[in-house]
Structures are given as C-alpha cells and as structure tokens.
Amino acid sequence: SAVISQKPSRDICQRGTSLTIQCQVDSQVTMMFWYRQQPGQSLTLIATANQGSEATYESGFVIDKFPISRPNLTFSTLTVSNMSPEDSSIYLCSAEGGRGRYEQYFGPGTRLTVT
Amino acid sequence: QKEVEQDPGPLSVPEGAIVSLNCTYSNSAFQYFMWYRQYSRKGPELLMYTYSSGNKEDGRFTAQVDKSSKYISLFIRDSQPSDSATYLCATGAGNQFYFGTGTSLTVIP
C-alpha cells in the first residue's frame, strides 16, 4: 500500500485568494486523484492527474478554477483559485494501487475554510 | 437516481454486536465493489475489495455482493469501539467510479 501525505492539513483563507495543496506519495504511481468532501456528502472527484499529460476534469470542475500539476510520479498539486466561501471543504488526494482506480490510497485531507 | 445509495445513519451498536452496512447501486454493469473506512479527520482507507458477485471475508469483516438485486453489504462481527468510523461503499466499472455518502457507525463499550 502507498502512504500519502498532504500539506497543508488545514487553512483559513480570504475570498479571492488562491491556495495550493501538495500531495506526496511514497512510491511511484501513474494515476493520482483529487476529491472534495463536504459534510454529509460523498467524495466528489475533481480530476484525475496522470504524469506527463493534462489532468482530466470531471463535469462541473474546470482547469481555471482548479489547476493541477503532476511534475513526476510521486507528487501532485491542486490549486483552488479565486476562492469563495462555497469552496470551503475538505480536499483529498489519492493514489492508485495495484488495481488502478479500484484500489485507492488516500491522504489525510486538507481542511479549507474560506472567509 | 444516484449511482450509489447508502443510508447515512448514524448507527449506534453495543460492543460485540454484529453490524450490517448496506448500499444499493444503479448500474448493472458495475463490477468492482469496495468498502472504505474513514476515521474522523482522516482520509478513507481501503477495507475490502470484491470483484463481481459473492462473499469475501477478512478477519471480522465480510463483504457481500448480490448483483441480481444490485445490493452490497459489509458485515462486522464482534464489533469493537475501534470500529467507530464512517464506512463508505464504492463501485464502478471502466472509468466510472462512485462513492456512497457513508454510514456513520459508533460502537459503544
């Protein structure tokens, strides 16, 4: 299994600013994923990040709002841009296991509050 | 209709009880079925993985898939206070992958 770390663990930001969340995996993986989790709701996939290609965004999420970098096989960043209070949520990254997207290992999450 | 439906609970049981957690899904093409456990303020961790129908057992945990009724279950035997967490089911096929909303479980000592 992979071990995932995320930074920061939490942050309070002002509206209109941007925050970059970092995700580090302890082994090389092809696919990494970024999710948003709001209280009482399921995990919502924002995008899939493959090394060496553009991230693939899910419906309702756009690159201008959530730019993603994937510079190598162990690291990815998600930026939440021009934040509003509606962006307050927990953001989680995950990495694929041996069964691809059907075996994911998650980081501890970044708890974001936008004021 | 949501792709995966899961009763959010909360569910509260005494220590030692058998716990049954359930989900239904909408797409008969789904072939992969997972259960994740999420402790408070932590990321989800993969608990059980099942492909297609049938049962899978791992210690006190049993995952069951009934494709005819599109119903997936997780049973926890001899539940412990350390099992208190939110349990999320997940399923999919191809590039489709969906999580349930999670069921909050508390095991009371």
Side-chain angles (χ1 to χ4, degrees), chain B residues 45-66:
Chain B
E45 59 176 316
L46 182 63
L47 197 59
M48 299 286 282
Y49 165 90
T50 309
Y51 174 73
S52 194
S53 288
N55 293 357
K56 183 173 182 180
E57 190 173 319
D58 185 359
R60 296 184 295 110
F61 298 88
T62 299
Q64 190 173 79
V65 177
D66 182 347

Side-chain angles (χ1 to χ4, degrees), chain A residues 37-86:
Chain A
Q37 185 177 34
Q38 294 177 320
Q41 297 187 21
S42 63
L43 295 166
T44 301
L45 181 63
I46 297 171
T48 301
N50 288 334
Q51 196 273 332
S53 63
E54 293 288 328
T56 302
Y57 289 83
E58 298 298 308
S59 175
F61 297 97
V62 295
I63 188 171
D64 290 345
K65 176 67 175 177
F66 297 101
I68 288 171
S69 79
R70 183 78 202 276
N72 57 50
L73 290 171
T74 63
F75 188 78
S76 180
T77 67
L78 170 76
T79 299
V80 186
S81 302
N82 188 25
M83 289 184 284
S84 67
E86 292 71 37

Side-chain angles (χ1 to χ4, degrees), chain B residues 2 5 7 17 25 28 30-31 42 45 54 56-59 71 76-77 94-95 97 101 108:
Chain B
K2 286 186 178 179
E5 300 269 9
D7 186 339
Y25 62 96
S28 58
F30 290 164
Q31 297 178 295
K42 301 286 186 183
E45 59 176 316
K56 183 173 182 180
E57 190 173 319
D58 185 359
Y71 198 82
I76 307 174
R77 292 185 301 280
N95 287 329
F97 186 74
T101 53
I108 303 168

Side-chain angles (χ1 to χ4, degrees), chain B residues 17-21 47 60-62 74-80 83 87 105:
Chain B
I18 296 173
V19 176
S20 173
L21 303 167
L47 197 59
R60 296 184 295 110
F61 298 88
T62 299
L74 178 70
F75 299 96
I76 307 174
R77 292 185 301 280
D78 186 25
S79 56
Q80 302 295 309
D83 295 328
Y87 290 80
L105 170 68

Side-chain angles (χ1 to χ4, degrees), chain A residues 3 5 7 9-10 12 16 23 32 38 41-42 44 46 52-53 55 57 75 85 108-109 111 115:
Chain A
V3 176
S5 59
K7 288 195 295 188
S9 58
R10 58 171 55 218
I12 300 173
C23 182
M32 295 179 70
Q38 294 177 320
Q41 297 187 21
S42 63
T44 301
I46 297 171
S53 63
Y57 289 83
F75 188 78
R111 188 175 294 267
T115 61

